[in-house]
Amino acid sequence: MAKAISSPSKTKELLASYGLKAKKGFGQNFLVDPMITKKVAQVAEAEELVIEIGPGIGGLTEQLSLIAKKVIAYEIDESLKDVLYDNFKDAKNVLIYFRDFLQVDLTKEMQSWQKTFTKISVCANLPYYITSPVLFKLFEQSNITTITVMVQKEVGDRFYAKVHDSEYSALSVEAQSYYQIKKLFVVPGRSFNPSPKVDSLIVQLRRKEEIPSFNRSLYFQFVRDCFSQRRKTIRNNLQKKYTIDEIEKVLSICNISINQRPQNVSVEQYQKLFEVLYERKSICQN
């Protein structure tokens, strides 16, 4: 029986055979624990179309291909073309694009995929340096059912951080506005080659049945504006786009103090703030 790509010996063999090594510039840490890659794939609800970002040499891709009807992976590092081609040349359900995922027109791609697949999920071991931008991009898509990601533990903690917590951030508000969030398990640094100094966390986000109806992109930008400088008040952070009178009136309507800082405002309050402010300006879109 062939060894899994994510086994330590197979990973070492592939890296040596193709003259490869992990690149810090791409945040590469190859997962070398086949039990973890298998477990992640099994819990990812990836039976139809699954999107993977940053497949590396294909350890998780291999396990997803055993479950999914279609795996679409985006890899920015073109030096991995040969190893990925050789590993998946016979896998008819795996399609790998050598593109920067952050530059992909995901809305256009989603519209195309939905003609064939009724369920789209995401499963990825995200490079630490692009974790937040990738997640913000995914959050803007309303038709992704589940997002199962391996992230740096401190980033994972932000997903389910509550108001007043030190980890509570724009990422917390965005994620909790649209998803039920579940912490699955911790992956120790020794499970990677090379081994990072920090542990990782597997987090799963499942789309809520009832979600806000307003425009996600506008809402997310509003939340990020509110958190633009954590030590300042929301009133100060919003002054670049709105007048003081507008901001203070909206805060008053929502029963929020003008001295409130972003980490002390709940998810529900952010939704109310956005709704009131954008309805007044008549630019809220469904």
Side-chain angles (χ1 to χ4, degrees), residues 78-97:
E78 295 196 5
S79 71
L80 299 176
K81 276 187 176 180
D82 288 344
V83 65
L84 285 170
Y85 173 76
D86 289 344
N87 283 340
F88 297 103
K89 60 186 177 183
D90 296 324
K92 304 301 183 184
N93 64 332
V94 176
L95 179 60
I96 300 173
Y97 291 112

Side-chain angles (χ1 to χ4, degrees), residues 12 67 76:
K12 184 176 180 180
I67 296 171
I76 195 173

Side-chain angles (χ1 to χ4, degrees), residues 135-157:
L135 291 169
F136 286 143
K137 187 179 183 75
L138 292 172
F139 290 167
E140 290 184 356
Q141 301 301 318
S142 61
N143 294 308
I144 295 176
T145 306
T146 57
I147 301 173
T148 306
V149 287
M150 187 182 308
V151 297
Q152 189 173 342
K153 188 175 182 299
E154 67 176 35
V155 175
D157 290 340

Side-chain angles (χ1 to χ4, degrees), residues 107-119:
T107 298
K108 183 178 179 180
E109 299 285 5
M110 290 286 292
Q111 290 172 348
S112 175
W113 297 332
Q114 286 178 289
K115 295 177 183 178
T116 305
F117 301 97
T118 58
K119 183 177 180 182

Side-chain angles (χ1 to χ4, degrees), residues 23-28 76 100 102 126-134 152:
K23 296 179 180 177
K24 289 184 179 180
F26 288 140
Q28 291 174 343
I76 195 173
D100 180 352
L102 294 176
L126 293 178
Y128 292 167
Y129 79 110
I130 59 166
T131 295
S132 292
V134 166
Q152 189 173 342

